Amino acid sequence: MATPSIAVARPAPSRFPRPGGARAFVERLRSGDEIAHLITLIFASTILFLTAWLVYELWVHSALPRQTFGLGFLTASTWDPVFEHFGALPFIYGTVVTSALGLLIAVPIGVGAAIFLAELAPHGISEALTFSIELLAAVPSVIIGLLGIFVLVPILRKVVEPFLKATLGFLPFFQGPAFGIGFLAAGLILAIMVVPFIISISRGILLAVPTEQREAALALGATKWESTWKVVVPYARTGIMGSVFLALARALGETMAVTMVIGNDPKISASLFAPGYTIAAAIANEFTEATGDLHLQALIELGLVLFFLTILINAFGRILILVTTRKGTSRE
Amino acid sequence: MSPRLVWRKSVSVMMLSLTGVCALAGVSVLLFILGYLLWYGGKYINWDFVTQLPKPVGETGGGMANAIVGSAKLLLLAALTGVPVGFFGGVYLSEFGGKTFAFLVRYTTDLLNGVPSIVMGIFAYTVVVLPMRHFSTLAGGLALGVMMIPIAVRSTEEFLRAIPTALREGALALGASKWKTIVKVVIPAAAGGIVTGIMLDLARVAGETAPLIFTSFNNRFWSSGWNQPIASLPVMIYTYALGPYDDWHRQAWAAGLILLLLVLAANIVARTVLARRSTAREM
């Protein structure tokens, strides 16, 4: 998404008076209003229809594995196209681990940057920095992946992972051979990709906190940081959470950059250095090479799982943002 | 000052400077990406790269002319499918929409926006590729087109809403019917913004790879028709970056630079226009 816009759904009062009665209806029909209404209504309904169609197609084309494996599809951990055993657990695990890692890195940096842009930076600088951060959101994911394999992975393999192993090697997360590619690389790449979202949405929400809140805290003798951290941020908390959920949904569905650095190995390992696989990466890699109907449909069922996961998280995040922007009214 | 106050003040200064570091980190990632691609990809861009077909596997040289044209064709198809739905849908939400149905459409649009691009690819695959039994430009265009809809709807709606009601009332008072008011007054007033929004939308799908790898697939030659597989810049970058040849890697960098410059240029132009319009409105 190039523009991380906050969707604030407002009730839409009709902007035109609409006289009732049969004669008025005929009049409107003659003047073309009803026709224009109908045409735009058809296009608007197309959106609902398309979404329903999307769900239908995913559902119908994943019938085979649903009958064969049932819910066991989600909990089985072997993925073997040759013997037609399909279990999605390694992919779900990889998706969750990489997204969690990405958020763990991105949230502190994103919220910190949003605080700087909303509370500290002078207007001009804030606008310029926000502009470049939104450009970062527009960089195609395949390009981030390109830099991932040729720049990030060698650095991880030669510098970061040996260092982590030497210092924190007693933890199970930092053991095993340093491949470079793997969960850690994917997590870092995802952090880079979701940080612009968190920054730009959180900044908007912080800007919507009424100035009185800050003034009251400062008047009570709070330092600038205390007023920000103990008053402004808690006020905006729900909305910031919303931005984190939107970022999570994006991280879960991110495909190309992750596919290029995760190593594509359907294994569950505690070590972040180990190669893994995500749902989206599995679909991207195996779809064109699927060996049979069951394999192809298992991949489509993976898509269905991903679809519901992201839809749920998105819906939740949007509701959170909706609630805060309604509450914070300084902009209106 | 009491030691406690000194402590509180130094914590304040420290934490606030940390937030500044965070912001700088975000911006420097962008500068790094841009700088690295300019430095690395810039070396390999030459005339051949934009005018020639890929050389047979293993030979050096050649270019990606087919992928550049392919991307353009896919974007054209995407615009043809996505923009009408997005535009008229936006007009409906802003000008005709009631309460419940409009809310439903709006919320569905936002959810559609959050659907991962790879899932859109599966959709286009089941709808176009499966019945036709081969990969095609049409399937890729459809996948990108559906992806364009949400942003096209929401930006069209936002810009139409920003037009003052007084303008509508003026036209109605002069005796114009509602649809004439919309077509002749409201839409022209918002046209600049709507076009810019669609440009941003196009720039966004131009870099999409995931929905293309199993819809429009790839092609080392010129595509022979709309129902044939076609090369595109993002898919080429993906294939070449993961390929085993150094020459492919170099070409991937060059293609990455071209794609990045196109996307960023579209974004910068569009966002500057939008920023100007919004400041003009405030004054």
Side-chain angles (χ1 to χ4, degrees):
Chain A
M1 193 166 97
T3 32
S5 64
I6 313 168
V8 183
R10 277 163 283 175
S14 179
R15 301 192 165 213
F16 295 93
R18 205 185 148 105
R23 271 192 65 187
F25 179 77
V26 172
E27 186 54 37
R28 284 206 307 274
L29 203 61
R30 279 238 312 271
S31 67
D33 287 355
E34 287 302 321
I35 296 169
H37 187 160
L38 194 71
I39 291 173
T40 58
L41 179 68
I42 289 171
F43 279 104
S45 315
T46 308
I47 298 163
L48 297 181
F49 170 72
L50 266 176
T51 314
W53 193 14
L54 177 70
V55 180
Y56 171 80
E57 288 288 337
L58 289 176
W59 186 258
V60 165
H61 286 96
S62 61
L64 216 53
R66 265 187 291 114
Q67 280 159 12
T68 321
F69 307 113
L71 279 176
F73 182 74
L74 299 177
T75 51
S77 57
T78 8
W79 181 270
D80 189 342
V82 180
F83 292 100
E84 302 213 309
H85 289 305
F86 297 105
L89 197 62
F91 306 113
I92 298 174
Y93 175 81
T95 306
V96 171
V97 168
T98 51
S99 302
L101 192 62
L103 284 186
L104 207 65
I105 302 166
V107 170
I109 296 181
V111 174
I115 290 177
F116 178 78
L117 294 175
E119 304 291 316
L120 277 182
H123 184 72
I125 294 178
S126 174
E127 290 290 313
L129 290 183
T130 310
F131 186 82
S132 27
I133 282 164
E134 282 174 1
L135 284 186
L136 180 59
V139 175
S141 109
V142 70
I143 289 179
I144 307 234
L146 188 66
L147 283 152
I149 355 178
F150 292 114
V151 183
L152 182 70
V153 166
I155 294 178
L156 283 180
R157 186 171 56 228
K158 287 179 200 141
V159 186
V160 179
E161 292 185 352
F163 172 77
L164 283 172
K165 219 156 123 179
T167 49
L168 296 166
F170 56 90
L171 293 170
F173 313 123
F174 303 115
Q175 287 171 357
F179 291 116
I181 51 173
F183 293 117
L184 186 62
L188 282 170
I189 287 283
L190 283 178
I192 293 174
M193 302 198 69
V194 299
V195 121
F197 279 79
I198 301 181
I199 296 180
S200 117
I201 301 178
S202 303
R203 172 180 176 262
I205 286 164
L206 288 173
L207 286 176
V209 174
T211 323
E212 292 86 344
Q213 297 278 336
R214 299 180 182 87
E215 287 167 352
L218 292 176
L220 287 171
T223 60
K224 175 84 183 161
W225 171 251
E226 285 163 350
S227 113
T228 306
W229 189 247
K230 294 187 176 158
V231 177
V232 179
V233 172
Y235 193 94
R237 194 172 41 206
T238 325
I240 293 177
M241 283 295 288
S243 82
V244 172
F245 275 99
L246 291 194
L248 175 62
R250 185 176 150 88
L252 292 173
E254 177 47 50
T255 313
M256 295 328 289
V258 173
T259 311
M260 292 162 92
V261 299
I262 188 137
N264 301 331
D265 186 6
K267 285 213 180 76
I268 298 177
S269 10
S271 173
L272 295 179
F273 299 166
Y277 225 148
T278 65
I279 298 180
I283 303 173
N285 264 327
E286 298 191 1
F287 212 87
T288 49
E289 291 153 11
T291 43
D293 273 352
L294 190 63
H295 189 188
L296 188 72
Q297 297 214 357
L299 289 169
I300 296 179
E301 189 175 356
L302 280 182
L304 189 70
V305 171
L306 187 64
F307 175 82
F308 279 121
L309 210 61
T310 46
I311 285 279
L312 277 179
I313 291 170
N314 239 304
F316 189 61
R318 284 192 191 280
I319 288 171
L320 288 184
I321 290 179
L322 212 71
V323 168
T324 10
T325 37
R326 284 264 173 83
K327 190 179 77 176
T329 46
S330 76
R331 270 189 302 190
E332 316 207 14
Chain B
M1 277 198 291
S2 71
R4 169 102 184 117
L5 188 59
V6 174
W7 166 246
R8 283 172 55 208
K9 289 213 159 170
S10 34
V11 166
S12 178
V13 170
M14 201 181 70
M15 294 309 285
L16 292 175
S17 9
L18 269 182
T19 64
V21 172
C22 292
L24 270 183
V27 176
S28 49
V29 169
L30 174 75
L31 292 181
F32 175 78
I33 292 175
L34 192 59
Y36 203 90
L37 273 165
L38 275 176
W39 169 249
Y40 233 74
K43 286 193 286 194
Y44 308 122
I45 290 188
N46 49 36
W47 190 241
D48 278 358
F49 184 79
V50 289
T51 54
Q52 299 227 327
L53 283 177
K55 281 274 166 71
V57 177
E59 278 181 48
T60 52
M64 288 197 184
N66 59 340
I68 296 171
V69 174
S71 271
K73 277 165 97 174
L74 284 168
L75 285 181
L76 178 72
L77 272 182
L80 285 178
T81 42
V83 172
V85 179
F87 175 76
F88 286 108
V91 172
Y92 173 80
L93 286 182
S94 160
E95 307 297 322
F96 293 100
K99 245 182 178 169
T100 323
F101 188 70
F103 177 80
L104 190 67
V105 171
R106 213 172 274 130
Y107 205 75
T108 313
T109 311
D110 285 343
L111 291 184
L112 198 62
N113 197 8
V115 173
S117 57
I118 189 114
V119 175
M120 292 296 190
I122 298 183
F123 175 62
Y125 179 87
T126 58
V127 171
V128 182
V129 178
L130 273 185
M132 287 174 69
R133 304 204 161 274
H134 55 80
F135 301 114
S136 66
T137 315
L138 287 174
L142 176 76
L144 296 184
V146 177
M147 289 197 66
M148 280 186 73
I149 293 175
I151 294 189
V153 171
R154 297 298 301 211
S155 71
T156 305
E157 187 198 354
E158 292 290 319
F159 287 112
L160 288 177
R161 273 175 182 280
I163 303 301
T165 319
L167 228 70
R168 295 181 177 83
E169 286 166 354
L172 288 175
L174 288 172
S177 63
K178 183 174 170 179
W179 76 271
K180 269 207 167 135
T181 310
I182 294 170
V183 172
K184 299 228 157 148
V185 178
V186 183
I187 292 176
I194 295 174
V195 171
T196 325
I198 286 167
M199 198 165 130
L200 278 176
D201 204 3
L202 272 173
R204 174 200 169 206
V205 295
E208 282 295 344
T209 318
L212 295 181
I213 40 184
F214 43 82
T215 52
S216 64
F217 201 56
N218 203 345
N219 195 336
R220 299 191 62 78
F221 307 98
W222 294 108
S223 176
S224 53
W226 294 101
N227 60 353
Q228 292 300 316
I230 195 167
S232 57
L233 274 177
V235 176
M236 278 298 219
I237 298 172
Y238 174 62
T239 323
Y240 274 34
L242 295 181
Y245 311 105
D246 279 345
D247 194 52
W248 276 21
H249 297 169
R250 286 194 283 274
Q251 298 223 357
W253 284 110
L257 178 62
I258 291 185
L259 182 63
L260 184 69
L261 288 181
L262 288 176
V263 169
L264 288 189
N267 265 277
I268 290 171
V269 171
R271 284 168 198 275
T272 320
V273 171
L274 289 185
R276 267 213 206 114
R277 282 172 60 91
S278 65
T279 44
R281 214 183 295 137
E282 273 162 29
M283 284 191 290

